[in-house]
């Protein structure tokens, strides 16, 4: 499992490298945005860990251009504390997951394993369920002939549901996945977001299971 690590901080990169290597990943590192961009284009990487604060080409630009050029490799972005707008922009530009610094390397390892299990961006850039289609490369969601306008959070939620068709997903699991640890984690807002998503994709697609959570499909 090859991971491209684009991170300019030597000390942090060394810690990440150690942790990922111990976990069985093969790590290739780039120290700035320009090198990182080229490596992401050329190499056969299974996953990419991309710091957004980089010398040279900014991380968000790197991500945006990869996606524009059809690079479907799953990307986990690293953001600095207090820059929540970076997270939103990153997800909008096609990031699959994010971690806010500081973080524990075992959490990064766990998230990379989860990304690999979900297989986002690997075999296909398309998630499909009945008439609902999500293009993971462009973030476009269509239902039949209709193009749906989803917020980044709704898209993230939909992708999560569609990767777990027919699984029971608890509210706390959704909260865990949708918000970073230090953000507002209010599970009562999840109901609101699920309600909005339902109205856009069709209410019948997400069932509420009393006292258990939700099930898609
Ligand atoms: Ca940095």
């Amino acid at each position: 499992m090859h991971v491209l690590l684009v991170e300019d901080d030597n000390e942090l990169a060394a810690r990440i490298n150690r942790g990922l290597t111990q976990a069985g990943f093969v790590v290739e590192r780039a120290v700035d945005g320009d090198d990182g961009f080229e490596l992401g284009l050329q190499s056969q990487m299974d996953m990419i860990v991309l710091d957004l604060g980089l010398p040279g080409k900014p991380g968000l630009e790197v991500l945006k251009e990869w996606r524009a050029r059809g690079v479907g490799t799953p990307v986990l972005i690293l953001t600095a504390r207090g820059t929540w707008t970076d997270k939103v922009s990153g997800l909008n530009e096609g990031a699959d997951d994010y971690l806010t610094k500081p973080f524990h390397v075992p959490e990064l390892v766990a998230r990379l394993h989860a990304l690999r299990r979900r297989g986002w961006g690997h075999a296909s850039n398309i998630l499909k369920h009945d008439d609902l289609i999500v293009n993971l490369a462009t973030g476009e969601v269509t239902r039949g002939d209709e193009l749906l306008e989803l917020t980044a959070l709704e898209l993230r939620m939909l992708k999560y549901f569609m990767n777990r068709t027919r699984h029971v997903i608890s509210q706390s699991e959704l909260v865990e996945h949708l918000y970073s640890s230090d953000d507002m984690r209010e599970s009562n807002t999840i109901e609101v977001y699920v309600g909005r998503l339902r109205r856009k994709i069709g209410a019948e697609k997400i069932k509420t299971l009393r006292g258990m959570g939700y099930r898609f499909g």
Side-chain angles (χ1 to χ4, degrees), residues 22-84:
Q22 274 169 9
F25 294 92
V26 178
V27 182
E28 186 154 354
R29 183 191 169 202
V31 296
D32 63 41
D34 302 285
D35 274 0
F37 177 68
E38 291 301 325
L39 279 173
L41 277 186
Q42 291 166 7
S43 313
Q44 286 306 309
M45 294 294 168
D46 298 298
M47 277 175 291
I48 299 173
V49 177
L50 174 69
D51 181 29
L52 291 188
L54 289 170
K57 193 191 274 292
L60 273 178
E61 281 301 307
V62 172
L63 177 59
K64 193 173 170 179
E65 288 187 35
W66 277 339
R67 292 311 188 219
R69 297 233 206 150
V71 174
T73 315
V75 174
L76 183 149
I77 52 174
L78 303 178
T79 63
R81 186 182 282 278
T83 55
W84 67 270

Side-chain angles (χ1 to χ4, degrees), residues 40-171:
L41 277 186
Q42 291 166 7
S43 313
Q44 286 306 309
M45 294 294 168
D46 298 298
M47 277 175 291
I48 299 173
V49 177
L50 174 69
D51 181 29
L52 291 188
L54 289 170
K57 193 191 274 292
L60 273 178
E61 281 301 307
V62 172
L63 177 59
K64 193 173 170 179
E65 288 187 35
W66 277 339
R67 292 311 188 219
R69 297 233 206 150
V71 174
T73 315
V75 174
L76 183 149
I77 52 174
L78 303 178
T79 63
R81 186 182 282 278
T83 55
W84 67 270
T85 51
D86 279 359
K87 250 180 282 190
V88 175
S89 311
L91 294 172
N92 280 334
E93 298 299 352
D96 299 282
D97 203 355
Y98 60 82
L99 268 179
T100 303
K101 295 177 183 180
F103 57 85
H104 296 286
V105 174
E107 181 173 7
L108 176 62
V109 170
R111 282 175 184 255
L112 290 181
H113 280 311
L115 269 185
R116 186 189 51 177
R117 276 198 305 274
R118 291 198 288 268
W120 287 355
H122 273 287
S124 159
N125 279 326
I126 302 293
L127 286 177
K128 190 173 184 304
H129 186 265
D130 296 338
D131 55 347
L132 193 63
I133 294 174
V134 178
N135 184 324
L136 297 171
T138 62
E140 272 181 3
V141 181
T142 52
R143 187 183 181 203
D145 295 332
E146 189 191 356
L147 182 64
L148 304 181
E149 298 268 336
L150 263 57
T151 64
L153 189 128
E154 288 164 353
L155 179 59
R156 194 171 168 74
M157 186 185 273
L158 179 60
K159 287 200 276 188
Y160 196 78
F161 275 128
M162 288 180 85
N163 278 296
R164 287 162 190 75
T165 306
R166 285 186 292 279
H167 289 213
V168 178
I169 299 168
S170 68
Q171 281 204 356

